[in-house]
Amino acid sequence: QVQLVESGGGLVQPGGSLRLSCTASGLTLDPYNVAWFRQAPGKEREGVSCTRHSDGTTAYEESVKGRFTVSRDNAKNSVYLQKDRLKPEDTAVYYCAAHNNILCHWNMDFDYWGRGTQVTVSS
């Protein structure tokens, strides 16, 4: 059974940092594109980033560029989302998702999803 499990969420003050992890079981993440999404209360889910497996490049949604960074550790079958200079508007449930596709964008369909981890940015 394929599972993606997010972890690392929590409460952080504005300007602080968090690192989210997305760890796969039943699936080797290496050949998959991995995207991060978030959903704030009362809002639709939105894409945050998409990392292409073929060359490791990551596309970021405009509001997180320069603040969020994605990395992968294939040995740990994990992908990480480093979030710096957090803002209250970054408060959301964060999800990771994976698909096997040449192209990589959060507007595409994804085959596997995690259940999410809550991130709250508040003083």
Side-chain angles (χ1 to χ4, degrees), residues 27-34 51-54 72 79 98-101 111-112:
L27 174 78
T28 300
L29 269 182
D30 188 18
Y32 287 80
N33 301 335
V34 177
T51 301
R52 190 165 56 187
H53 76 88
S54 59
R72 297 179 76 135
V79 174
H99 72 184
N100 191 339
N101 200 302
D111 301 314
Y112 305 107

Side-chain angles (χ1 to χ4, degrees), residues 17-94:
S17 297
L18 277 178
R19 189 178 82 151
L20 305 185
S21 300
C22 171
T23 301
S25 60
L27 174 78
T28 300
L29 269 182
D30 188 18
Y32 287 80
N33 301 335
V34 177
W36 286 94
F37 295 82
R38 65 185 179 185
Q39 187 165 18
K43 294 187 177 181
E44 292 189 355
R45 187 176 64 201
E46 63 175 357
V48 173
S49 68
C50 195
T51 301
R52 190 165 56 187
H53 76 88
S54 59
D55 59 7
T57 58
T58 300
Y60 296 95
E61 190 273 330
E62 196 63 34
S63 69
V64 307
K65 278 183 182 178
R67 300 189 300 121
F68 290 11
T69 306
V70 173
S71 61
R72 297 179 76 135
D73 185 340
N74 291 331
K76 295 184 177 180
N77 212 23
S78 296
V79 174
Y80 306 99
L81 180 65
Q82 177 67 40
K83 298 142 53 80
D84 299 318
R85 290 183 281 138
L86 283 162
K87 304 175 181 180
E89 51 264 42
D90 294 318
T91 295
V93 177
Y94 283 75

